[in-house]
Amino acid sequence: MKQATKIITILTVLCFPLLAQSQVSIKLSQPSREQNNVNTSKQFIAGRTCIGCKLTINNDSVYVYPTGTFAVKKELVQGKTTFVLHVRDSTGESYTKTIVYYYSPAPAPRPTETFKIDFIEVSPKGNLEVTEGDTLKVKVKAYPGQKAFWFNDTPLTELPAAQSSGVPGYYVGSYIITPNDSLLNGKLTVSLKGRNGQTAYLTSPNRYRYMRMESPRTGRTIDNMTYITSATEGDRLGPEKLGYLDKGVLLQIIGRQGEYYKVKLSSKKNAYIPAAFLDTEIPQEGVPVSIVSDVQIYGDDKYDYVTVNLSDKLPYISTQTNDPGKIIIDIHGAYAEQRINNQLRNTAEITQASWGQPTHDVFRMILSLKHNVWGYKMYYEGNKLVVRVKRVPPNLALSNMTIGVDPGHGGSNYGATGLTGAIEKNLTLGMSLLLRNALEKEGAKVLITRTSDQFVNNEERLSYYRQVDPDILLSIHMNSSANPVDVFGTATYYRLPFCEPLSAAIHKRLLETGLADFGNNGNFNFILNNPTEFPDALIETLFISNPGDEAAILEPAFQQELVQKIIQGLKDYIIQAKK
C-alpha cells in the first residue's frame, strides 16, 4: 500500500504542470525569444496554452493537444517574418503573442581575399605527444594560388575547387614523424609564399612534443572501472569504448592526445585511455610478450570458467555472436608456441573452446556456448586471466530472476523537459517504480538505482550493477529532439551483440502500444550498455519533446501499458534464451 501511495504521489507531481496552465496564455518553448535572428529557413513554434483553447497562427488553426501543447513547423522566407499567435478560450477571453524572425542564410564560403592564412586545422586534435611513425595531417585555408609549407618545409597541396565546395585556397598535407624531428613542446608553423616574394605565417593553436622510446614507458590501470577507447573523440556520450580492464593491467604508452594516453596493445592495435586512469608511478620495464601454455576450462556448481596463465596482466578485448552463441576474446601481447589444452571439465554452458593467433602477438579464444551469451566477466587472479561465463538459469522465469531497473537522471540532472513542463527525471522514476511493482508481482527480485529524486552519477550506477550482477539490467529514459514535429516514437538501444535479442524483444512489444518506430539501435555508446556481465537494454520509451508522445506518457493508463509491454518483452526474451 505504501508503494502504491508513493507512486500515485509521484504521478500527481508529474501532472501538476497541466493543472497549472488554466489561464488564457501562451508559453513558448521554441523560440525562446520574441525577436529571433536565424540562418536556417526551417523553424519550429512550439509551446503550451490553456487546455481546451483554440489557437491560430497568422489566422491558421493549430491543433492543441489535450495537454494544452502545440508544435508546428514553419518555412521562412529571407528577411523579416512575423507570426501572430492568438488563443481564445470557451468564454471568449483571448490572448495574443507576436514573434518575429529575421532570416538571413549563412554566407556561402568565400575564398580568402587578401594574402594571409585564415586558419590551420591539425589532426589528431589537441596537444600531442607523438612518436616515430605517427601521422599528422593538416588543412589550411589561405590566399589561393600560392605555395604553402608546414612541418620541416614540407609542401602542401592546394585542393581543386571542385573538392572544396567550389572554394579555392584550401591546402592539405600530412607528415609522418621520424626520430630526427625536433618537437620540444612547440607549435607548428604554416608558411604561405607568394608569387611576388611575400610570405605569411600562422602557428597552430596546440603544442607538440616528441616522445622518445629508448626505454618503454608504461603504466597500470588503477581499478576495474578503467576503460580503453578507439579514439579520443566521439559523439555526445564520448569516445567509443573498446571495453573495460581489470585493475593492474600493464599498458605501454606511446603518445598523448589531450587528456588521453595513446597505448600500444599489440603490434597492430593501439588504443586510448584517460590519463587519470593509468598509474605511471611504477617501475618502468618492458611489456612482456607472454607465451600461453596453460589453459584450463572447467565448471563449478554455478559458472563455467576459462583460465589463462600469463607472464603479466595483459590487455584484452572481447566481443560476442548470437545464433550460435560465442564469446571471442583477444589477449594482446600473448602467443601460443604449442597445442593448447581444450579439454572441458564439468562445463554446462561452454561446449567447445578453440584457439587462434590472428597476429603473432595476439592470442584469441573462441568459446562456443550451448545458448546465446547470458553474460561473462573477465578479471585477473595474479597473472592468471579468468573468464567467468554465466549459465542460462535452469528454471528460467521472471520468478527466479533478479532484474536491475535504472531510472534515468535524478536530482540536479533533470534530463529533458516536455512542452508541458514535465521533467524526464520524474517520468523515469515514476515509470521505474511501476515497473518494479509489476516485476515483483511476477516474483522477480528487483534492484533499483533510486527510489526518490536523487542524483546518482553514471559511473556509480555502472559500478553498482557490475557488483550486484543482476540477471538483466533495464535503463528507463525518455527521448528528446530539437524537432518537436517530425521526431517521435519508441526506441531501444544496445551496444554489445549479445544484448540485441533482449533489446529487440522489448522494442517489438513496445510497438504494440501504437507508438511510432524509432528503431532498435545497436552499437550505442551509453555507459550502461557497456557491461559484459549481463544482458542490458536502454529503453527510450518515447519523445517527450513531441506533444503527442508527451500527452501519452502523462496518462497513467498508458504508463501501465508501457510497463506491461516491457514485461511481455522480457518474457519473450526468456523463451528465446531457453532454446
Side-chain angles (χ1 to χ4, degrees):
M1 179 63 72
K2 288 183 178 180
Q3 284 186 348
T5 302
K6 186 173 185 179
I7 294 173
I8 291 171
T9 301
I10 290 172
L11 294 177
T12 301
V13 171
L14 300 182
C15 295
F16 179 77
L18 304 179
L19 303 177
Q21 192 70 17
S22 57
Q23 295 181 336
V24 179
S25 62
I26 298 172
K27 181 179 180 181
L28 290 177
S29 297
Q30 292 190 57
S32 58
R33 296 179 297 182
E34 293 182 357
Q35 304 284 325
N36 303 275
N37 293 300
V38 298
N39 56 23
T40 56
S41 62
K42 183 173 71 174
Q43 298 295 321
F44 300 99
I45 301 175
R48 180 179 170 203
T49 185
C50 42
I51 296 172
C53 291
K54 304 295 183 182
L55 174 68
T56 62
I57 298 180
N58 288 359
N59 296 319
D60 293 330
S61 294
V62 174
Y63 179 73
V64 177
Y65 287 82
T67 54
T69 59
F70 61 91
V72 294
K73 178 170 57 177
K74 296 293 184 181
E75 285 290 335
L76 306 182
V77 296
Q78 194 165 340
K80 179 181 177 181
T81 302
T82 301
F83 293 103
V84 178
L85 287 72
H86 183 78
V87 64
R88 183 184 300 273
D89 70 6
S90 58
T91 68
E93 184 179 353
S94 64
Y95 177 85
T96 299
K97 180 185 283 286
T98 300
I99 56 176
V100 179
Y101 288 97
Y102 299 92
Y103 166 46
S104 177
R110 299 176 60 183
T112 304
E113 296 179 347
T114 60
F115 187 82
K116 66 175 183 176
I117 302 171
D118 283 344
F119 65 77
I120 301 171
E121 292 179 353
V122 179
S123 62
K125 297 179 180 178
N127 297 320
L128 302 182
E129 291 187 42
V130 296
T131 190
E132 179 182 358
D134 285 347
T135 299
L136 298 179
K137 296 181 179 181
V138 68
K139 182 178 182 180
V140 176
K141 185 174 185 292
Y143 192 60
Q146 313 303 306
K147 300 291 185 182
F149 303 85
W150 77 314
F151 204 102
N152 288 347
D153 286 328
T154 304
L156 302 180
T157 301
E158 183 176 4
L159 293 174
Q163 296 180 22
S164 53
S165 303
V167 179
Y170 284 94
Y171 301 81
V172 297
S174 62
Y175 185 84
I176 299 175
I177 301 297
T178 73
N180 298 322
D181 290 321
S182 176
L183 287 169
L184 302 175
N185 202 33
K187 297 185 175 184
L188 301 180
T189 300
V190 172
S191 62
L192 187 71
K193 297 183 179 181
R195 301 182 185 279
N196 299 323
Q198 68 269 52
T199 304
Y201 299 94
L202 189 64
T203 58
S204 63
N206 298 108
R207 295 183 177 273
Y208 304 84
R209 182 194 302 272
Y210 185 83
M211 180 183 290
R212 302 208 173 270
M213 303 298 291
E214 286 87 356
S215 59
R217 185 180 177 191
T218 57
R220 291 190 183 273
T221 54
I222 62 171
D223 58 28
N224 68 354
M225 289 289 289
T226 298
Y227 57 82
I228 52 177
T229 67
S230 60
T232 60
E233 296 181 328
D235 57 21
R236 63 183 179 85
L237 298 175
E240 178 190 14
K241 295 179 178 64
L242 296 174
Y244 284 80
L245 299 175
D246 200 6
K247 180 180 180 180
V249 171
L250 184 64
L251 295 172
Q252 182 180 358
I253 301 168
I254 59 171
R256 181 161 181 159
Q257 185 173 335
E259 298 304 313
Y260 285 78
Y261 283 126
K262 183 179 181 181
V263 294
K264 180 180 179 180
L265 303 182
S266 53
S267 58
K268 295 185 178 180
K269 184 70 172 180
N270 297 329
Y272 296 88
I273 182 171
F277 291 174
L278 205 59
D279 178 12
T280 58
E281 299 298 321
I282 63 171
Q284 294 297 308
E285 55 185 326
V287 177
V289 175
S290 185
I291 301 174
V292 177
S293 59
D294 183 12
V295 177
Q296 301 295 322
I297 313 157
Y298 62 95
D300 61 16
D301 58 351
K302 191 172 182 181
Y303 301 103
D304 287 357
Y305 299 87
V306 178
T307 63
V308 183
N309 282 316
L310 302 168
S311 58
D312 209 316
K313 294 180 179 178
L314 301 180
Y316 47 83
I317 297 175
S318 71
T319 188
Q320 319 84 33
T321 66
N322 298 315
D323 302 318
K326 293 183 180 181
I327 302 171
I328 301 100
I329 301 169
D330 285 345
I331 305 174
H332 292 265
Y335 73 98
E337 284 187 334
Q338 59 190 33
R339 180 179 175 86
I340 302 299
N341 168 52
N342 61 359
Q343 181 180 356
L344 309 181
R345 292 186 288 113
N346 301 320
T347 59
E349 187 61 43
I350 299 174
T351 59
Q352 182 181 357
S354 57
W355 323 111
Q357 200 78 44
T359 65
H360 73 276
D361 55 353
V362 176
F363 178 70
R364 175 168 291 173
M365 298 189 288
I366 303 174
L367 308 179
S368 298
L369 307 182
K370 184 177 180 181
H371 306 89
N372 279 337
V373 180
W374 189 261
Y376 59 98
K377 181 178 181 179
M378 295 176 289
Y379 57 94
Y380 275 99
E381 292 179 349
N383 291 337
K384 179 169 65 178
L385 178 63
V386 180
V387 183
R388 190 187 73 185
V389 179
K390 274 186 175 179
R391 298 167 180 165
V392 175
N395 300 313
L396 191 56
L398 280 177
S399 58
N400 299 320
M401 296 175 67
T402 298
I403 309 295
V405 176
D406 178 62
H409 307 282
S412 59
N413 185 349
Y414 280 55
T417 301
L419 295 176
T420 67
I423 301 170
E424 182 180 3
K425 67 172 183 175
N426 295 333
L427 289 165
T428 60
L429 179 58
M431 278 283 298
S432 297
L433 292 174
L434 290 172
L435 180 58
R436 180 187 67 176
N437 279 4
L439 286 168
E440 288 177 343
K441 287 181 181 178
E442 294 283 343
K445 177 182 178 182
V446 179
L447 304 172
I448 191 165
T449 312
R450 63 185 181 95
T451 57
S452 62
D453 186 16
Q454 173 188 1
F455 174 77
V456 185
N457 72 42
N458 283 337
E459 288 73 19
E460 290 175 351
R461 296 172 194 248
L462 176 62
S463 178
Y464 169 70
Y465 284 112
R466 290 183 72 194
Q467 289 177 35
V468 297
D469 196 20
D471 292 304
I472 288 173
L473 174 62
L474 303 177
S475 295
I476 308 299
H477 282 248
M478 308 288 150
N479 232 331
S480 183
S481 170
N483 182 340
V485 176
D486 305 308
V487 181
F488 47 87
T490 189
T492 49
Y493 297 82
Y494 65 95
R495 179 177 176 269
L496 302 176
F498 85 98
C499 297
E500 190 275 338
L502 169 65
S503 186
I506 294 173
H507 180 252
K508 183 178 180 180
R509 287 292 187 174
L510 287 172
L511 291 176
E512 295 176 354
T513 64
L515 289 169
D517 185 358
F518 203 71
N520 176 39
N521 306 278
N523 201 31
F524 193 64
N525 200 27
F526 178 56
I527 188 170
L528 292 183
N529 284 145
N530 279 283
T532 63
E533 286 88 343
F534 38 77
D536 58 70
L538 167 61
I539 304 171
E540 295 277 6
T541 48
L542 45 67
F543 280 82
I544 63 167
S545 52
N546 175 267
D549 278 8
E550 184 191 24
I553 196 63
L554 291 174
E555 290 290 338
F558 190 73
Q559 294 183 16
Q560 289 284 5
E561 184 180 1
L562 287 171
V563 165
Q564 290 306 313
K565 294 303 180 184
I566 292 171
I567 288 179
Q568 289 173 12
L570 283 173
K571 291 179 177 179
D572 293 342
Y573 171 68
I574 288 170
I575 292 172
Q576 294 176 34
K578 291 178 180 179
K579 297 178 180 178

